[in-house]
Amino acid sequence: MARFLLRDGNKVGAEVSPVGLEVFTYTDQKGQQVHALANVQAERKFLQQVPSKLLPLYVRMEQALAKAVGRGCGSK
């Protein structure tokens, strides 16, 4: 399982390949590789590939809000 560092500092472990994502890979003090997501686009692409249950609660809430707002736009 790869470890990713979100731009806000939270770490997420997921079965996602860093290939194709703009990341900075480093080795932490425990000797584990961590892929720091380098920009907003890389983070969005990563979050689309991760099952929501693995994400921090605040990220899941933001995604739910974005979906709810998106559904409400243009509808009367």
Side-chain angles (χ1 to χ4, degrees):
M1 180 175 302
R3 293 173 47 108
F4 291 85
L5 179 64
L6 300 179
R7 293 177 314 112
D8 66 1
N10 281 304
K11 289 184 181 175
V12 177
E15 293 292 337
V16 174
S17 172
V19 175
L21 297 174
E22 193 168 336
V23 297
F24 173 78
T25 302
Y26 67 92
T27 303
D28 67 9
Q29 293 177 345
K30 296 178 182 177
Q32 298 175 326
Q33 278 196 335
V34 179
H35 308 287
L37 296 157
N39 54 41
V40 173
Q41 293 81 11
E43 188 170 279
R44 284 182 183 156
K45 192 173 178 181
F46 168 73
L47 292 174
Q48 290 173 350
Q49 298 178 60
V50 178
S52 62
K53 66 181 180 179
L54 297 178
L55 299 175
L57 179 60
Y58 82 93
V59 173
R60 290 182 280 168
M61 292 180 75
E62 286 176 357
Q63 288 178 340
L65 178 61
K67 286 180 185 178
V69 170
R71 280 190 222 129
C73 290
S75 60
K76 294 184 180 183

